[in-house]
Amino acid sequence: MQLTAPANGTTSAPTRRDADGMAVASFILGLVGLLVLNVFLGPIAIALAGAALWRGTKRRGRAVLGMTLGVADLVVLAVAMEMSNTVSWSL
């Protein structure tokens, strides 16, 4: 892994690969977060998707979907909390 910026100003391959990995991770965490631990996995999915988009991932669709699923995690949590009239929810 390269710790300094390349001299010619181009984007290095590991940074792009890291961004692609973040996009995939945000999608997976957002999907899993719909079922369990949505209070933790939702914000993490949103942050990873934002970082992947900021770094210029090739998997832009997956990053946007990960961000959407992260927001959906928080919406599911809010609806479940409202329906059960508690601070948390359970099945």
Side-chain angles (χ1 to χ4, degrees):
M1 185 169 182
Q2 188 173 356
L3 296 178
T4 58
N8 58 6
T10 61
T11 304
S12 63
T15 303
R16 176 72 49 108
R17 196 172 346 134
D18 291 345
D20 291 347
M22 282 191 238
V24 172
S26 70
F27 170 71
I28 292 171
L29 291 176
L31 194 60
V32 172
L34 287 173
L35 302 174
V36 294
L37 297 173
N38 44 8
V39 70
F40 298 112
L41 297 181
I44 293 171
I46 293 169
L48 282 174
L53 290 171
W54 185 71
R55 289 186 178 191
T57 181
K58 285 185 176 179
R59 298 178 181 206
R60 182 173 169 78
R62 205 161 282 165
V64 170
L65 189 56
M67 187 174 287
T68 304
L69 286 170
V71 170
D73 292 348
L74 298 177
V75 169
V76 165
L77 177 66
V79 168
M81 286 172 37
E82 184 64 33
M83 289 177 63
S84 65
N85 293 324
T86 62
V87 180
S88 64
W89 64 281
S90 63
L91 298 173

